Amino acid sequence: MYAALTSGGKDSVLSIQMAIDEGFDVGYIVCVRPENPDSYMFHSSNLDAVRLIAKRGRMEYVEIRSHGRKEEELADLKSGLEQLPITGLIAGAIASRYQYERVGEIASALSLEIFAPLWQRDPEWIMEQVAKRLDAIIVVCAADGLGDDLLGVHIDDTMIARLKRISSKNRIHIAGEGGEYETLTLNAPFYSEPIHWKEEERHISPGRSELILDGLW
């Protein structure tokens, strides 16, 4: 039995889908909810959607509360995971060695296998898979060249081409691995139906813009 770490973003949801495709028994979706929006490890945007993702995938939802302070949040994650009857952990890390190594340390301490199918894969290949297999939208922009006009835009071939152009000028990671942007996955093959919402609002501040979805269902 595997547990999947996810904030509902494209990378972790794609990793869950790849695990299911390979026959893994994914029984739990684990969401760490940090009080600190600038958490080193975990996203904080639109986390209410993760419970719905678990329901859509017929998985048990597990929420771990954390202050979001560096390193302490890892102890919170470990404490939450050691309560689960699992043998493995699924992570969506791409290139962040900080995230990958720390999740690996927790997995090792708990004698868990780790499945991170996107680790050090070509970012363009990852984005192509996201566009082909998922329906993901941008919900946070936090880098030069990424304006609030991108909020709510779906990750498709046109958006990928735009990210490449922005990357060539502003040197962003096209998959957002450096925190340049965050996504929410509205649909995936393992969902029983897409995620919907009733209302939305935009919070715009210097250096960061966020799309908040309300009335999720």
Side-chain angles (χ1 to χ4, degrees):
M1 180 76 71
Y2 275 69
L5 299 177
T6 184
S7 60
K10 59 180 175 52
D11 304 323
S12 53
V13 172
L14 179 59
S15 297
I16 295 169
Q17 187 62 57
M18 293 174 72
I20 292 171
D21 293 344
E22 293 197 21
F24 286 62
D25 182 7
V26 185
Y28 298 89
I29 279 189
V30 178
C31 175
V32 178
R33 188 181 287 268
E35 294 178 6
N36 175 15
D38 298 318
S39 163
Y40 279 81
M41 282 286 294
F42 307 107
H43 294 173
S44 60
S45 180
N46 293 291
L47 293 183
D48 289 342
V50 182
R51 185 185 299 273
L52 294 176
I53 292 173
K55 184 177 180 180
R56 300 291 200 268
R58 298 178 180 84
M59 303 164 190
E60 185 171 338
Y61 174 73
V62 178
E63 182 172 293
I64 299 172
R65 295 274 178 165
S66 174
H67 289 297
R69 290 189 287 264
K70 190 175 182 180
E71 302 302 335
E72 287 184 24
E73 59 191 2
L74 296 168
D76 295 333
L77 174 59
K78 180 182 177 183
S79 178
L81 290 175
E82 63 188 0
Q83 307 301 318
L84 303 179
I86 56 176
T87 57
L89 194 59
I90 299 166
I94 296 175
S96 171
R97 191 160 294 280
Y98 177 86
Q99 292 182 350
Y100 182 78
E101 290 180 349
R102 278 151 182 80
V103 170
E105 288 169 3
I106 291 172
S108 178
L110 299 179
S111 299
L112 300 175
E113 297 179 9
I114 186 166
F115 181 70
L118 305 184
W119 178 243
Q120 296 190 331
R121 297 291 294 264
D122 175 51
E124 291 192 20
W125 179 86
I126 293 172
M127 295 300 288
E128 289 169 0
Q129 294 301 306
V130 169
K132 182 167 65 174
R133 308 203 65 197
L134 310 179
D135 181 14
I137 60 171
I138 294 176
V139 293
V140 172
C141 293
D144 289 342
L146 301 178
D148 59 274
D149 60 309
L150 296 184
L151 294 177
V153 174
H154 294 256
I155 302 293
D156 57 14
D157 292 342
T158 300
M159 187 65 233
I160 293 172
R162 187 171 179 181
L163 287 169
K164 288 179 181 178
R165 291 194 298 271
I166 296 171
S167 177
S168 66
K169 181 179 179 180
N170 298 85
R171 296 184 179 180
I172 67 166
H173 191 289
I174 66 167
E177 181 70 348
E180 294 92 340
Y181 66 91
E182 297 176 20
T183 59
L184 177 65
T185 308
L186 303 176
N187 203 7
F190 73 88
Y191 289 22
S192 59
E193 67 173 297
I195 290 174
H196 314 277
W197 64 94
K198 296 178 180 178
E199 300 177 350
E200 61 182 58
E201 56 183 295
R202 297 181 178 219
H203 288 186
I204 312 298
S205 59
R208 190 178 192 274
S209 58
E210 180 178 3
L211 177 67
I212 298 175
L213 306 179
D214 295 319
L216 291 159
W217 60 281

